[in-house]
Amino acid sequence: KAGVTQTPRYLIKTRGQQVTLSCSPISGHRSVSWYQQTPGQGLQFLFEYFSETQRNKGNFPGRFSGRQFSNSRSEMNVSTLELGDSALYLCASSLAGAEAFFGQGTRLTVV
Amino acid sequence: QKEVEQNSGPLSVPEGAIASLNCTYSDRGSQSFFWYRQYSGKSPELIMSIYSNGDKEDGRFTAQLNKASQYVSLLIRDSQPSDSATYLCAVPRGKLIFGQGTELSVKP
C-alpha cells in the first residue's frame, strides 16, 4: 500500500513568487492536513480538507491556501513568498481525522 | 495552559536503559492519543496509538494512558542509539494537536 506522496521534495523560490505543493494521500483516505514546521516552532497546523471541503483552518495569513480534489489529492499554495515561509511543509492523510500518516515533506527555501 | 504539553528535553539516556517520555493534555474529553517519532530532517512517523486507560505494548515500546490524571507516556525499553529522535505526542481535536516534542538522545 503506497504511503503519502508529496511533491516536490525540495524547492527554492525567490521572495514575492508563489508556490504550489502537492500531496497524494494513502488510497482510501479522505482527510488531508497540512502543517508547517520550522526550527524551534514545532508543527503548526495550516488547514485540513475532507471530501473537498476545508474543515479546519489554522492561524496563517490568507497567502496560504489549499484545495482538495475529488480523488482526495490536495494542493497548497503560498503566494507572495516571504523569507519566513522557508520551512518543511508536511502533508498528513487519515481515514477520518484520527491516526494521521505523514508524507516525506516538501522543504521550501525562500531566498 | 497549552492543550498538549511535553518536556522539550533533551532527555539523555545510556544505551540499554529505559527512556520515559511524558505528555499531559488539557481536554478531559480526549479519547485517543498518538506518539510520533521524528528523526532530524525527516517527517513524523506514527509509532503508537492508545485509546483506553492502561498500557499498550508494541515491541520495545509501551504507551501508558491515565485519563484521570490526563497524561500519556511512552516508555522505550532497551534504548538504542537509533532511537535518538524527537518524540511528539498528539491528540485529535478535529485536527491533530501536537506537543512541542521531546528530544531523546541515547548514548552508546
Side-chain angles (χ1 to χ4, degrees):
Chain A
K1 190 175 186 181
V4 180
T5 302
Q6 289 188 247
T7 56
R9 291 289 310 281
Y10 303 92
L11 208 49
I12 299 176
K13 289 287 189 179
T14 304
R15 272 183 302 175
Q17 288 186 312
Q18 74 166 16
V19 67
T20 299
L21 311 181
S22 179
C23 172
S24 293
I26 293 170
S27 178
H29 285 194
R30 295 163 65 188
S31 170
V32 174
S33 298
W34 290 90
Y35 294 83
Q36 181 197 65
Q37 188 174 41
T38 55
Q41 291 295 316
L43 279 160
Q44 299 196 66
F45 174 77
L46 282 154
F47 26 67
E48 185 221 359
Y49 287 87
F50 183 85
S51 294
E52 302 180 66
T53 300
Q54 187 179 87
R55 201 157 64 166
N56 282 292
K57 189 177 189 304
N59 189 26
F60 276 80
R63 300 185 297 108
F64 292 81
S65 62
R67 58 178 175 169
Q68 186 180 33
F69 302 95
S70 58
N71 62 357
S72 293
R73 190 178 71 84
S74 177
E75 289 181 347
M76 69 162 282
N77 184 78
V78 188
S79 62
T80 320
L81 284 165
E82 300 176 359
L83 294 179
D85 297 332
S86 295
L88 179 64
Y89 289 87
L90 293 160
C91 165
S93 82
S94 66
L95 270 175
E99 295 176 327
F101 299 88
F102 285 86
Q104 293 178 296
T106 294
R107 187 164 297 281
L108 171 66
T109 302
V110 182
V111 297
Chain B
Q1 182 188 5
K2 290 184 179 179
E3 293 186 77
V4 180
E5 293 202 65
Q6 299 179 250
N7 292 328
S8 59
L11 173 66
S12 184
V13 300
E15 185 175 355
I18 296 175
S20 177
L21 305 160
N22 299 310
C23 171
T24 59
Y25 58 94
S26 60
D27 182 6
R28 284 195 168 273
S30 297
Q31 297 294 317
S32 49
F33 307 86
F34 308 117
W35 282 100
Y36 288 83
R37 177 178 62 198
Q38 186 174 25
Y39 292 113
S40 179
K42 303 295 185 183
S43 62
E45 173 193 8
L46 179 65
I47 56 172
M48 288 288 279
S49 306
I50 187 165
Y51 302 95
S52 54
N53 271 335
D55 295 1
K56 178 182 177 183
E57 189 174 314
D58 184 1
R60 296 185 296 112
F61 297 93
T62 299
Q64 299 176 318
L65 175 58
N66 184 321
K67 290 187 177 180
S69 299
Q70 293 177 247
Y71 83 78
V72 56
S73 61
L74 179 69
L75 301 179
I76 306 175
R77 291 183 301 281
D78 188 23
S79 295
Q80 301 296 309
S82 59
D83 295 325
S84 298
T86 296
Y87 289 82
L88 298 155
C89 172
V91 177
R93 289 195 60 197
K95 61 189 181 187
L96 276 180
I97 308 293
F98 285 90
Q100 65 269 42
T102 299
E103 184 183 347
L104 172 66
S105 177
V106 181
K107 303 296 186 184

